[in-house]
Amino acid sequence: MTMKIFIFIGLIVLPKLIFGQLTFFQDIWNGGVCFSGFSTGISFSGIQSGSFETFVEPSSTIKKVFLIYNTHNLPDNSIYIELDSEAIELPSETMIADDYLETQFTNLYSVKHNILDISNIYQNINIHTITIPDQTFLNCDYQPNCFYGNFTLVILYENISLPKLGFTLFINNQHLNQQVTAYPLEFNPININKDIGLSLNTEIIAGFLSDNSSVFVNGINIGSIGGSDLTNGINLNDFGTRGHFYYQNDSLFGLDDDTPDDIMTNSDALANISSYLTSNINLNLILQWQNPNVHQNVYSSINLAYSTPCSTINTIVSKDTIICKVETIQLSASGGINYEWLPQTDLSCYSCANPVFSGDSSQLYTVRIWANDSCSVVRPIMIKVRQQPKTSSYFQSNTLCGDSTASINWQNVGSNQYAFDNGSFQTSGIFNQVGAGNHLLTVKDEFGCEFDTTISINSYLSVQSEFSVSATNGESPLTVFFSENTLNADGFWWQINNGGQLSSLTETTFTQTGTYLVSLFAYENDSTCVDTSFATIVVSGNNTLVFPEGISVNDDGKNDVFEIIGLENYPKNEITILNRWGSEVFHMKNYDNSWNGKSKKGFGKSEELPTGTYYYVFEVEDLEVFKGFVWLVR
């Protein structure tokens, strides 16, 4: 039975690199290294399977195993490949590496080079079987060439009976849509009188003479590569080629159809380059299309295995880890005298041993650790930042004022848990008996990452304040009868001209001239849940002007304007209304009882004025000036 294995440590993605930053892994140890793999080319329909050979010296211990692969055009789903009957997930949702453009005729596509650490499941055998599923179900926004491909292994093994070797793994950091691609490579000091293995890992380079890639080492053309490796099982030209090899005992050995000579030819992408080196710490590698009109030559990674005078360096570095967004984590490295962290982003320092990470997105770092002999090792550390958990949608209701009758229903997603107003977490996102106001909802995912959001619950009134009056104006003394008609009220009180509260009001006689504002306040549940209605009573004397003491601008047809009783007898007049700070808010000649609580000065735009007390000055031709206060209520 096939056992499915999910590997978190696995998706190691590549940082955005500049010169000197494409080194993914470098080490010095007693033992050897092997590189071999299998490609599907551009054949992503139907199940692809095959086998490939590796070599590990008997009695050796596996030190590290990397699985390198490419993705084309950002597949929207994970796939499982089978390696020696072990199912390994290649999860698409964590693919955050930079993508490098490739060109096929006039179309641009994206390629990502990804690496999984599969050391914990690797089976140390010499012949490996691999199966790639049918990938026609993948969706890349309907773009062609949407698939996973080019699966290769880098196997590091330890054996104390073997001499030291140095190994550096470089990952492509150049766009693939250019005819000439230059890779300036730096590495630990090399014993140049020993074998130096240069192995290229490529994909989709056809075997036709018009579509190969020429290889230059320090300006010397060492051959042209392209075509299909024998390990692919069938001879299709567009599979691309890999330099299969193993290196131990200061010697380079070829696997598959690759030979450890000093040239590369067709599907042989392996060469012993010791005779081309002019420096023992760097070289210039150039890959060039033979035909500038035929594109889509994909370069994934570069292997360099060599004998070195450097001593082994015992290091300890932080493990790959998952953190929640907005969290920080301290990284660590030890065993050296100097350190360099790349890329230089989101860390508290870049040349110290223990920087603090404070980024908000996932990032692969490499730390270079120098020993006192100027030799160094490079280690990758993946920090995966989980985004804050959220649910897809939620529903909420409002509550009756003074009660807690609202409900909140968050739609459950995955294994999320929910807490309300700092209460205990529960698996359901439903909360009942919620009162009005702002509330805190906390969503927690299966990894313990939390996301807070504020939910506002509004309240509504069912009470309606309403009353009728027998008269709204007349000469003093004026008797007025009141009839209360409220709905759904638990209690109420009356006020006249904002005076003291009256528990009841059925009738009253107004003996003084003036304007009277009568208010009825009705409430339900508690006295803060109030609805208010108003009526204005104007009491006038014979041949006098009567000014209102208040207006209620609520469009109920009652007392909505500043109405002066007797104004019709004085058509030539002028009125000015000022706010409490003495600023003019309304002015009008030949006032016509039209002021409705809005500002109006000259030809300016009118605006609603807030509730409050205002001062009026009313001038009548050949008569005195009238002054007073009016209360504006909305």
Side-chain angles (χ1 to χ4, degrees):
M1 178 179 295
T2 297
M3 178 177 64
K4 289 187 175 181
I5 300 174
F6 176 80
I7 310 169
F8 155 67
I9 191 176
L11 189 58
I12 301 176
V13 289
L14 307 176
K16 197 166 189 174
L17 306 172
I18 58 175
F19 176 73
Q21 295 187 4
L22 59 78
T23 304
F24 173 77
F25 183 87
Q26 181 168 276
D27 206 353
I28 307 154
W29 74 99
N30 290 84
V33 58
C34 178
F35 172 81
S36 185
F38 177 85
S39 174
T40 59
I42 59 173
S43 301
F44 50 87
S45 61
I47 297 175
Q48 308 291 317
S49 62
S51 62
F52 57 93
E53 179 186 10
T54 59
F55 178 84
V56 173
E57 180 69 23
S59 302
S60 298
T61 301
I62 299 299
K63 174 182 175 68
K64 182 75 68 176
V65 181
F66 294 120
L67 170 64
I68 305 175
Y69 64 96
N70 298 331
T71 57
H72 297 253
N73 279 338
L74 309 182
D76 63 340
N77 283 296
S78 305
I79 68 166
Y80 280 89
I81 66 168
E82 284 194 4
L83 178 65
D84 303 325
S85 299
E86 298 286 0
I88 303 174
E89 183 181 12
L90 311 182
S92 64
E93 68 273 10
T94 53
M95 292 184 180
I96 59 169
D98 290 326
D99 56 306
Y100 299 99
L101 294 178
E102 61 167 325
T103 307
Q104 184 183 34
F105 302 107
T106 59
N107 298 316
L108 286 177
Y109 303 106
S110 63
V111 178
K112 289 187 178 181
H113 314 298
N114 299 285
I115 302 181
L116 291 173
D117 184 338
I118 62 169
S119 306
N120 60 331
I121 65 163
Y122 175 73
Q123 299 181 39
N124 187 11
I125 54 181
N126 288 337
I127 301 297
H128 301 275
T129 59
I130 187 168
T131 300
I132 305 1
D134 185 336
Q135 300 183 56
T136 54
F137 68 93
L138 295 175
N139 175 30
C140 297
D141 294 327
Y142 306 102
Q143 295 187 51
N145 291 359
C146 175
F147 63 98
Y148 295 73
N150 194 23
F151 306 93
T152 55
L153 295 182
V154 177
I155 306 162
L156 283 57
Y157 53 93
E158 293 181 304
N159 193 318
I160 195 64
S161 65
L162 295 175
K164 287 182 305 176
L165 80 154
F167 174 71
T168 307
L169 174 59
F170 304 96
I171 304 298
N172 176 67
N173 71 328
Q174 305 287 341
H175 282 300
L176 302 168
N177 61 347
Q178 51 198 356
Q179 183 182 0
V180 178
T181 308
Y183 298 96
L185 307 181
E186 294 182 335
F187 35 81
N188 278 325
I190 289 178
N191 292 323
I192 60 176
N193 58 335
K194 305 289 186 179
D195 286 357
I196 302 170
L198 173 65
S199 164
L200 303 182
N201 179 18
T202 72
E203 185 183 20
I204 316 178
I205 303 180
F208 305 109
L209 292 178
S210 61
D211 191 22
N212 284 8
S213 283
S214 297
V215 182
F216 296 84
V217 174
N218 287 337
I220 301 172
N221 186 344
I222 67 170
S224 297
I225 59 172
S228 174
D229 288 322
L230 293 179
T231 57
N232 295 321
I234 54 176
N235 186 21
L236 291 181
N237 286 310
D238 59 6
F239 272 40
T241 181
R242 282 144 299 286
H244 303 74
F245 77 96
Y246 69 95
Y247 188 100
Q248 65 180 39
N249 275 325
D250 301 331
S251 300
L252 177 66
F253 301 89
L255 296 172
D256 189 44
D257 59 353
D258 297 279
T259 57
D261 53 19
D262 60 356
I263 61 173
M264 295 186 181
T265 305
N266 297 327
S267 61
D268 177 5
L270 177 69
N272 179 356
I273 61 170
S274 59
S275 61
Y276 305 120
L277 261 62
T278 56
S279 166
N280 71 338
I281 58 172
N282 59 64
L283 66 87
N284 292 316
L285 174 68
I286 292 178
L287 300 175
Q288 177 178 327
W289 304 337
Q290 282 192 337
N291 186 344
N293 298 315
V294 182
H295 306 165
Q296 209 180 13
N297 291 2
V298 175
Y299 314 130
S300 299
S301 60
I302 303 164
N303 303 290
L304 195 67
Y306 47 89
S307 173
T308 180
C310 295
S311 301
T312 58
I313 305 173
N314 296 318
T315 62
I316 300 176
V317 299
S318 298
K319 294 182 178 180
D320 297 344
T321 189
I322 296 176
I323 64 172
C324 301
K325 192 172 183 178
V326 310
E327 289 184 344
T328 61
I329 185 172
Q330 186 169 58
L331 307 182
S332 64
S334 63
I337 60 172
N338 289 303
Y339 303 88
E340 180 186 34
W341 296 81
L342 298 172
Q344 295 192 357
T345 180
D346 296 328
L347 294 181
S348 60
C349 59
Y350 302 101
S351 59
C352 61
N354 302 298
V356 176
F357 172 78
S358 58
D360 59 3
S361 60
S362 299
Q363 180 66 61
L364 172 80
Y365 289 98
T366 59
V367 55
R368 185 180 293 273
I369 305 171
W370 277 278
N372 55 14
D373 59 358
S374 298
C375 296
S376 66
V377 297
V378 177
R379 296 289 185 268
I381 301 173
M382 181 66 193
I383 306 299
K384 179 171 172 53
V385 179
R386 293 194 59 82
Q387 297 304 300
Q388 293 172 320
K390 297 182 181 180
T391 56
S392 56
S393 61
Y394 76 95
F395 306 95
Q396 69 179 60
S397 62
N398 295 324
T399 182
L400 182 67
C401 185
D403 280 347
S404 297
T405 56
S407 63
I408 297 172
N409 184 357
W410 280 75
Q411 304 302 296
N412 290 17
V413 171
S415 302
N416 286 350
Q417 297 185 53
Y418 305 85
F420 190 73
D421 285 342
N422 294 314
S424 300
F425 281 98
Q426 62 184 46
T427 57
S428 170
I430 299 175
F431 300 92
N432 296 313
Q433 287 78 54
V434 178
N438 293 329
H439 299 275
L440 179 68
L441 179 79
T442 303
V443 184
K444 180 171 68 174
D445 67 14
E446 59 184 314
F447 296 94
C449 297
E450 297 182 3
F451 169 73
D452 293 336
T453 188
T454 300
I455 300 173
S456 296
I457 299 297
N458 297 321
S459 63
Y460 63 90
L461 290 172
S462 64
V463 65
Q464 297 181 27
S465 174
E466 187 174 338
F467 66 96
S468 59
V469 296
S470 60
T472 58
N473 59 76
E475 295 184 1
S476 64
L478 176 65
T479 300
V480 179
F481 297 92
F482 301 88
S483 177
E484 177 263 317
N485 303 310
T486 60
L487 298 175
N488 303 321
D490 295 330
F492 54 84
W493 72 89
W494 299 82
Q495 280 185 322
I496 300 177
N497 283 350
N498 300 310
Q501 295 184 4
L502 304 173
S503 59
S504 64
L505 181 63
T506 56
E507 69 173 281
T508 189
T509 300
F510 300 95
T511 58
Q512 300 293 323
T513 60
T515 300
Y516 299 87
L517 179 66
V518 181
S519 307
L520 173 61
F521 300 86
Y523 64 89
E524 59 179 337
N525 294 322
D526 61 55
S527 58
T528 63
C529 301
V530 178
D531 187 45
T532 309
S533 55
F534 305 91
T536 300
I537 312 297
V538 179
V539 181
S540 61
N542 193 21
N543 296 324
T544 62
L545 288 172
V546 179
F547 296 85
E549 294 184 0
I551 62 174
S552 58
V553 185
N554 56 8
D555 295 325
D556 62 355
K558 302 176 184 178
N559 197 37
D560 287 329
V561 296
F562 185 79
E563 182 179 5
I564 303 174
I565 305 300
L567 182 65
E568 66 273 13
N569 298 318
Y570 307 98
K572 293 184 178 182
N573 61 68
E574 186 172 353
I575 189 171
T576 301
I577 297 178
L578 307 120
N579 62 21
R580 58 189 296 183
W581 295 280
S583 299
E584 180 181 306
V585 297
F586 182 85
H587 179 82
M588 186 176 183
K589 288 187 177 181
N590 300 326
Y591 180 62
D592 57 359
N593 281 341
S594 61
W595 184 58
N596 60 355
K598 294 184 177 180
S599 65
K600 183 178 181 183
K601 297 184 291 181
F603 296 96
K605 183 180 178 182
S606 63
E607 297 179 353
E608 291 186 352
L609 296 169
T611 297
T613 302
Y614 293 84
Y615 184 71
Y616 64 85
V617 179
F618 184 81
E619 298 177 64
V620 179
E621 186 177 353
D622 300 328
L623 292 178
E624 61 181 305
V625 176
F626 298 87
K627 302 179 180 180
F629 294 91
V630 58
W631 173 251
L632 170 64
V633 177
R634 289 197 176 278

